[in-house]
Amino acid sequence: MARIAVRDDLKALEGYHSPHVSVRVRLNTNESPTPPPAAWSDAFVAEVSRIEWHRYPDRAATELRAAIATLHGVDSNQVFVANGSNEVLQTLLLAYAGPGRTVATFEPTYQLHAHIARLTGATVIEGERNDDFTLDLAEARRVCETGNPIITFLCSPNNPTGLVEPESNVREVMAMAPGLVVVDEAYGQFADWTALDLIDEETPLVVSRTFSKTWSMAGARLGYLVGPSWLVAELDKVILPYHLDTAKQIAGRLALRYVNEMQARIDLIVSERERIQSAFASMPVHSWPSGANFILFRPTSISGRDVWRRLVDRSVLVRDCSGWPRLENCLRVTVGTPEENDAFLAALQEVLA
Ligand code: PMP
């Protein structure tokens, strides 16, 4: 059978891969190490049993949007919900990027920002961060002036570095960006400030968030953004009708009843993160300060790739970033349960000994 050629601009693109290796301790995809509270599961099962499956879901996800709006003290029409924050970002890029338009990223950062932008046919201008991975404001100005980006991406805390973008940087980028500023806060709840407080109707700023991490619901594929209502109205035009199934809308709405339980999980992850960082201090490892549920680190005595392999031999899987641009020898570990973190630290100690 003859193969049909894909669009010319997609030929050079590679897909996004996260290798699946069967191990006992999986600390490679920044998920929550624990399932949602049992009370959530019970309430979910009860409501799902009453779904009218022959009917389409509520197209506007009215109750879920209202619940998210209440959580953040905004209006429902300032909330857009989709299948994971990846679909939120894709919708945003379909609406505002596309051929003839430019999107700015500051590397290294979450690869999907540039990847999805390219899928829409947009040109991506990749600014460089400082050597310590903080944002270089002079570079940001250069990128904004030369590229005239319609969307400028920030990511706070940034994946894969873990660094929180200080509020002053976000404000400076907002002042210099000629278009929309997107702050990807997939890990926002682990950090000490949020750009959600900067959202208003007059400012071309949006913040994206996800249920995949703090809310222990990576399996549900649910994410959202908060932004001005005029922007949300454009996204509503672009997204497919009935994109959010009824069960997912229930899952998200019910999860928001468990804010206290979620906060307890965040507190535990943050204290475990600090414990791992302290352990790193006495190992031949350089690590970056993290405001997220993961830590980027670079072994200094053995190559990152070898450390990754030897950890897999000990049934511990972390993310191998060593082949990514600007991240030579780097690995990224997700903060797990105390037991998983113990297993990781013991294995790493052995590998580096
Ligand atoms: N943004 C960032 C920075 C991420 O790391 C991730 C998950 N890897 C996402 C967005 C996408 O998350 P999801 O689609 O699960 O909401």
Side-chain angles (χ1 to χ4, degrees):
M1 196 181 70
R3 290 198 183 181
I4 309 299
V6 75
R7 262 164 43 193
D8 284 346
D9 60 326
L10 298 188
K11 280 185 186 148
L13 283 191
E14 286 185 20
Y16 181 79
H17 304 289
S18 182
H20 221 82
V21 183
S22 192
V23 288
R24 204 166 42 78
V25 180
R26 264 178 44 192
L27 301 175
N28 64 328
T29 47
N30 301 342
E31 293 151 321
S32 164
T34 42
W40 173 87
S41 307
D42 295 344
F44 177 68
V45 169
E47 282 210 32
V48 163
S49 71
R50 295 195 293 272
I51 289 179
E52 293 185 349
W53 285 105
H54 58 302
R55 301 293 181 199
Y56 279 114
D58 172 13
R59 187 167 170 176
T62 315
E63 290 183 33
L64 174 58
R65 271 163 118 139
I68 295 169
T70 304
L71 179 72
H72 294 307
V74 297
D75 275 359
S76 275
N77 63 7
Q78 295 178 305
V79 177
F80 174 76
V81 191
N83 293 286
S85 51
N86 281 339
E87 192 181 46
V88 170
L89 300 174
Q90 182 187 53
T91 312
L92 197 61
L93 287 157
L94 284 171
Y96 287 95
R101 292 186 165 206
T102 301
V103 171
T105 63
F106 300 101
E107 303 293 331
T109 190
Y110 184 45
Q111 294 174 343
L112 268 268
H113 297 158
H115 180 71
I116 306 171
R118 290 192 178 102
L119 291 179
T120 72
T123 303
V124 176
I125 176 162
E126 294 188 353
E128 299 287 333
R129 288 173 184 269
N130 292 315
D131 288 345
D132 62 0
F133 297 144
T134 55
L135 191 69
D136 178 344
L137 286 170
E139 169 75 343
R141 187 168 299 283
R142 182 193 69 78
V143 164
C144 286
E145 282 171 5
T146 58
N148 192 28
I150 193 76
I151 292 182
T152 301
F153 272 108
L154 295 175
C155 189
S156 180
N158 187 32
N159 180 11
T161 64
L163 298 189
V164 176
E165 207 57 76
E167 179 171 349
S168 54
N169 278 0
V170 175
R171 286 183 181 277
E172 293 227 26
V173 170
M174 284 163 66
M176 66 177 80
L180 198 58
V181 174
V182 178
V183 184
D184 181 338
E185 287 195 358
Y187 306 95
Q189 286 123 302
F190 301 103
D192 51 9
W193 86 281
T194 169
L196 281 165
D197 297 336
L198 307 180
I199 303 283
D200 63 42
E201 284 295 292
E202 282 70 51
T203 311
L205 170 76
V206 305
V207 173
S208 62
R209 290 224 161 171
T210 181
F211 281 73
S212 299
K213 321 289 174 183
T214 325
W215 295 96
S216 300
M217 281 172 47
R221 307 302 301 124
L222 188 58
Y224 62 94
L225 71 69
V226 179
S229 58
W230 49 263
L231 177 138
V232 170
E234 298 300 338
L235 304 187
D236 280 333
K237 286 188 219 161
V238 170
I239 193 74
L240 294 174
Y242 308 114
H243 67 299
L244 278 188
D245 65 71
T246 306
K248 182 175 323 218
Q249 294 188 32
I250 292 171
R253 179 168 52 72
L254 292 178
L256 299 179
R257 291 189 188 160
Y258 299 93
V259 174
N260 292 342
E261 285 81 350
M262 297 306 168
Q263 191 54 48
R265 285 147 196 258
I266 295 169
D267 295 344
L268 178 64
I269 297 282
V270 168
S271 78
E272 282 293 294
R273 183 182 77 204
E274 299 317 311
R275 185 167 75 90
I276 297 172
Q277 287 282 30
S278 323
F280 278 170
S282 57
M283 292 186 196
V285 152
H286 174 79
S287 73
W288 282 264
S290 169
N293 66 340
F294 59 82
I295 303 170
L296 185 74
F297 66 101
R298 178 185 277 149
T300 49
S301 53
I302 315 176
S303 83
R305 183 77 196 155
D306 283 344
V307 171
W308 183 84
R309 260 197 230 104
R310 291 180 206 177
L311 286 174
V312 171
D313 291 343
R314 288 162 178 78
S315 212
V316 175
L317 183 63
V318 299
R319 193 69 189 262
D320 180 10
C321 313
S322 63
W324 301 2
R326 308 166 187 84
L327 291 174
E328 202 179 330
N329 279 323
C330 289
L331 304 175
R332 190 194 68 197
V333 61
T334 303
V335 179
T337 61
E339 298 72 34
E340 288 171 329
N341 302 331
D342 283 344
F344 160 69
L345 288 171
L348 185 65
Q349 199 103 47
E350 233 177 72
V351 167
L352 296 175

